[in-house]
Amino acid sequence: MTVVVVVVAVVAVLALLALVHRWLWVRLVRDTTRAGGAARRTGTVLAFALPVLALAALTAGRAGAPFWLQQVVAWPGYMWLAVLLYLTLAMLVAEPARRLWLRRLARTEAAPAPPGPGAPDTPGGPATTSDNCPDLAGPTAAGAAVSQPAGAGGAGTVQGATAVGAQAPRPAGAHGAGTPQTAGAGDPAAPEAAQSASAGGVCVSRRVFVARVAGGAAAAAALATVGTGTYGVLRGPRVKRVQVPLARLPRAAHGFRIAVVSDVHLGPVLGRAHTQRIVDTVNRTQPDLIAVVGDLVDGSVHDLGPAAEPLRLLRSRLGSYFVTGNHEYFSGARQWVDHVRELGLTPLENARRELPHFDLAGVNDVQGESEGQGPDFRAALGDRDRSRTAVLLAHQPVVIHDAVRHGVDLQLSGHTHGGQLWPGNYLAELANPTVAGLERYGDTQLYVSRGAGAWGPPVRVGAPSDITVVELASYQA
């Protein structure tokens, strides 16, 4: 039954992605380019290639593709996913504006023009936005209006596809009272229409012009949003400081600083340079203890061991501790637990350390249940002295209720990324009791870090990356 649900969900997601790409192609390519032109062909190729790259980026690692191939497809594939999100949102906002603009233009065209002896003069120029020219999205858009030699009537004619409003009635004038006219034999507008298309001008219908303005504005907004979010990730996380008062913390531990690092997500996009930025940032805070609370990697030790190497440079008074996240179990948790130990970190696998003024415990991530290595609160906290303060490291916030039952004073978690890409924070709220920041559950406080890296696209919007320095405060002080 579970397999069927997963298959149905995957098919539904793929169908939705196909529909979104089709709609974007219509609005951004078909409606704005000339049929058969280079721009139309390029846009169509990208409409097929980019989603394929995105799917390759998402599946290459788990499919066992070589790491170099994962790196090749990761950047364009993941970046397109981020652009796709904000391009779709921007186009959804632009769509009503586009429709209103076209409706207003249609009303303007339908309004009666002042009477005159003939067609009004139209100013020449390099481009026009008249509806008396081909709609570039139409089937006959490949050619502009062509002037034909005089026929039996001795007057030139213009042939070609015309946009909306090309055959609108003309006011009474030289051709007779109230007789609808089209650009044809004996019509002075015909040479002007031909000139706008052929004599040094590019004829653009109003519909195409509006589509280009709306699409261009949406694309600019999406690219600016993604570019800013990418810069925020690649420059490295900023330090956030939070003071947490704990009732049982002794006066001697007042001001104890724990540097919380979560969700680094080393992989085909974020590598050794990103690790070094994090290590440098943590060391500058001069913490008493460092807590790495899961999702350190997205890949094997063979591929990412060199990227994790700077972790051996972490410095703190009482050492560095590590607990697994869900992505460690996608990447080989056992090998990573052994490797971080070689790098100088102390793994807490359902275990506890009695520090001078409080107990520090850590539990495995709930994803470990699939391998028989899930969280065991009894092993980590069952036999401890309840009069001492307990600080728990647990990757996912969802285990907070187990922490409350076992008398934990403070739980430090990550996992949510703070939503990473707005409006993802609203989805994260559905699956997590706390998305980011400090909240209280009974006598237990929960702090959730937004994380120091990014999963998938190296982009954050509305959820900046951070390394949190949690300063413990004693009521006795």
Side-chain angles (χ1 to χ4, degrees):
M1 184 63 181
T2 303
V3 175
V4 174
V5 172
V6 171
V7 171
V8 170
V10 169
V11 171
V13 170
L14 291 177
L16 178 61
L17 286 175
L19 290 174
V20 169
H21 279 86
R22 163 69 181 175
W23 177 64
L24 290 177
W25 177 83
V26 169
R27 286 288 176 258
L28 297 175
V29 179
R30 192 195 70 179
D31 290 355
T32 63
T33 59
R34 187 181 300 278
R40 175 75 63 87
R41 291 195 296 269
T42 301
T44 302
V45 169
L46 290 176
F48 283 95
L50 289 173
V52 170
L53 283 171
L55 291 175
L58 290 169
T59 59
R62 297 194 184 186
F67 191 64
W68 66 266
L69 180 58
Q70 296 178 43
Q71 292 176 305
V72 168
V73 300
W75 270 102
Y78 282 137
M79 291 304 294
W80 171 242
L81 286 176
V83 172
L84 175 65
L85 171 63
Y86 292 104
L87 185 57
T88 302
L89 293 175
M91 286 300 295
L92 288 173
V93 173
E95 183 67 13
R98 184 189 72 88
R99 291 178 179 273
L100 288 174
W101 193 355
L102 288 174
R103 186 175 301 174
R104 183 171 182 179
L105 287 175
R107 290 173 180 171
T108 302
E109 288 295 314
D121 294 336
T122 56
T128 66
T129 57
S130 171
D131 277 348
N132 291 323
C133 61
D135 187 342
L136 303 188
T140 59
V146 181
S147 177
Q148 298 293 335
T157 62
V158 176
Q159 294 180 349
T162 59
V164 177
Q167 296 184 356
R170 295 183 54 192
H175 297 289
T179 305
Q181 298 289 337
T182 60
D187 191 343
E192 290 182 3
Q195 289 174 4
S196 69
S198 58
V202 177
C203 187
V204 179
S205 75
R206 287 181 174 87
R207 184 178 298 275
V208 173
F209 176 75
V210 171
R212 288 178 176 177
V213 170
L223 291 174
T225 300
V226 172
T228 302
T230 303
Y231 170 76
V233 171
L234 297 183
R235 76 181 176 190
R238 292 295 187 250
V239 175
K240 182 179 180 181
R241 299 181 184 273
V242 176
Q243 187 179 68
V244 182
L246 301 176
R248 289 183 289 188
L249 189 72
R251 179 190 296 268
H254 181 76
F256 190 96
R257 299 185 309 279
I258 303 175
V260 181
V261 182
S262 76
D263 302 281
V264 178
H265 286 287
L266 299 178
V269 174
L270 299 176
R272 185 185 182 110
H274 189 66
T275 310
Q276 189 63 59
R277 286 191 292 268
I278 291 172
V279 169
D280 292 342
T281 302
V282 170
N283 287 345
R284 282 195 297 268
T285 67
Q286 298 182 327
D288 297 301
L289 183 146
I290 298 170
V292 181
V293 292
D295 278 9
L296 175 64
V297 294
D298 283 306
S300 67
V301 172
H302 177 268
D303 292 333
L304 297 176
E309 188 64 23
L311 292 175
R312 69 171 68 250
L313 301 176
L314 287 170
R315 296 290 180 266
S316 66
R317 187 166 62 88
L318 295 182
S320 303
Y321 293 84
F322 170 82
V323 293
T324 55
N326 54 311
H327 282 251
E328 270 73 54
Y329 292 96
F330 303 147
S331 307
R334 186 72 265 157
Q335 61 175 324
W336 275 110
V337 168
D338 294 338
H339 190 65
V340 297
R341 185 179 287 111
E342 295 173 3
L343 295 175
L345 284 74
T346 301
L348 292 176
E349 300 181 89
N350 298 323
R352 181 179 75 257
R353 286 293 178 93
E354 293 184 0
L355 300 181
H357 302 294
F358 62 91
D359 293 341
L360 180 70
V363 292
N364 295 343
D365 184 71
V366 294
Q367 184 65 37
E369 293 174 351
S370 61
E371 302 179 11
Q373 300 175 5
D376 188 340
F377 285 85
R378 179 171 296 180
L381 297 162
D383 58 348
R384 74 178 191 87
D385 181 357
R386 289 293 189 104
S387 67
R388 287 170 55 88
T389 297
V391 176
L392 174 69
L393 309 183
H395 177 63
Q396 297 196 40
V398 293
V399 300
I400 182 60
H401 302 295
D402 292 294
V404 172
R405 284 194 292 270
H406 286 83
V408 170
D409 296 273
L410 174 63
Q411 175 180 319
L412 301 175
S413 298
H415 182 64
T416 68
H417 297 211
Q420 184 169 328
L421 297 171
W422 182 92
N425 55 303
Y426 298 111
L427 294 177
E429 288 176 356
L430 299 177
N432 297 277
T434 298
V435 173
L438 182 67
E439 291 189 0
R440 177 178 289 276
Y441 293 83
D443 293 329
T444 303
Q445 295 184 76
L446 168 65
Y447 181 79
V448 180
S449 169
R450 290 190 177 96
W455 179 81
V459 184
R460 283 177 171 267
V461 178
S465 58
D466 68 63
I467 291 168
T468 303
V469 176
V470 174
E471 182 177 326
L472 305 183
S474 170
Y475 283 114
Q476 301 175 24

